[in-house]
Amino acid sequence: MNYGILHLNITKILQERGISKNRICKDLDIPRANFNRYCRDDFQRLDAHLLCKLCNYFEVEIGELLEYIPAKDV
């Protein structure tokens, strides 16, 4: 059964702020391959510590970073 997906707005925020993936990976000490998977919404589990790091780095609330897309909209 399809329940929908979680979407991370990382790419959108990076583009809006002119931040490169290389810069954020270096600043937050995140392996680029792992970060790319999050950017593509290609994950099974979310790392709460990473979400906190991203919210802090971007100075956003979790709802600005993460959104639920219902199955009917996928």
Side-chain angles (χ1 to χ4, degrees):
M1 172 156 249
N2 186 351
Y3 297 104
I5 64 167
L6 291 176
H7 171 68
L8 289 167
N9 291 311
I10 297 171
T11 302
K12 177 184 169 190
I13 295 170
L14 289 173
Q15 289 173 348
E16 289 174 352
R17 298 182 184 201
I19 302 169
S20 72
K21 288 182 181 180
N22 287 335
R23 167 72 5 208
I24 192 171
C25 287
K26 182 178 179 185
D27 289 349
L28 297 181
D29 192 30
I30 303 168
R32 178 67 186 262
N34 293 355
F35 188 73
N36 283 336
R37 283 196 300 275
Y38 278 103
C39 290
R40 292 188 312 265
D41 294 330
D42 181 22
F43 51 85
Q44 295 297 314
R45 293 182 176 87
L46 290 170
D47 179 342
H49 184 67
L50 175 62
L51 292 176
C52 290
K53 285 170 96 172
L54 291 169
C55 285
N56 182 64
Y57 186 85
F58 291 134
E59 297 179 344
V60 298
E61 296 293 324
I62 191 69
E64 297 171 80
L65 180 66
L66 180 67
E67 67 179 295
Y68 168 69
I69 301 174
K72 65 180 177 65
D73 297 333
V74 176

